[in-house]
Amino acid sequence: MTAEAVATESPCAMMRREAKSSREDIERRRKAISHLRSEIIRLQGQADPDQKAIAALQQRLASLEEQLQQEELSLDTLEQVISENC
């Protein structure tokens, strides 16, 4: 978006654009979480699973899930503001 377009964008339009961007980010994070879960399951199914690798992936998974929860909460708040003010 150009600087001129941002300068003339209404607050409601800006919030809607941010909400759309947040929904897209949340969807990407959900896909990353799903991929990570699949990878953990694949590693656990091996004859001699690498426990350190699994533990590292599980730690990353927990971090992503926490970030997702925060993003969903922020989006919910933004959507409430939009519905009340726009």
Side-chain angles (χ1 to χ4, degrees), residues 3-71:
E4 182 180 319
V6 170
T8 61
E9 184 177 42
S10 73
C12 288
M14 180 192 68
M15 287 189 289
R16 286 186 187 104
R17 181 175 45 80
E18 277 301 313
K20 180 182 178 195
S21 177
S22 291
R23 284 190 291 275
E24 291 167 354
D25 290 344
I26 287 169
E27 186 58 31
R28 279 192 293 275
R29 184 140 354 254
R30 284 183 180 144
K31 287 179 182 178
I33 287 170
S34 178
H35 176 73
L36 207 48
R37 283 187 181 133
S38 297
E39 183 65 14
I40 291 168
I41 290 169
R42 186 188 69 75
L43 287 174
Q44 289 172 333
Q46 293 179 346
D48 186 21
D50 182 348
Q51 295 302 323
K52 287 183 181 181
I54 291 170
L57 291 176
Q58 288 173 330
Q59 187 175 23
R60 177 70 178 140
L61 177 62
S63 175
L64 287 175
E65 288 174 332
E66 186 176 321
Q67 290 172 6
L68 175 63
Q69 185 178 19
Q70 291 299 317
E71 288 175 350

Side-chain angles (χ1 to χ4, degrees), residues 22 68-80:
S22 291
L68 175 63
Q69 185 178 19
Q70 291 299 317
E71 288 175 350
E72 289 173 330
L73 181 60
S74 293
L75 176 60
D76 184 54
T77 302
L78 179 58
E79 288 178 334
Q80 287 176 15

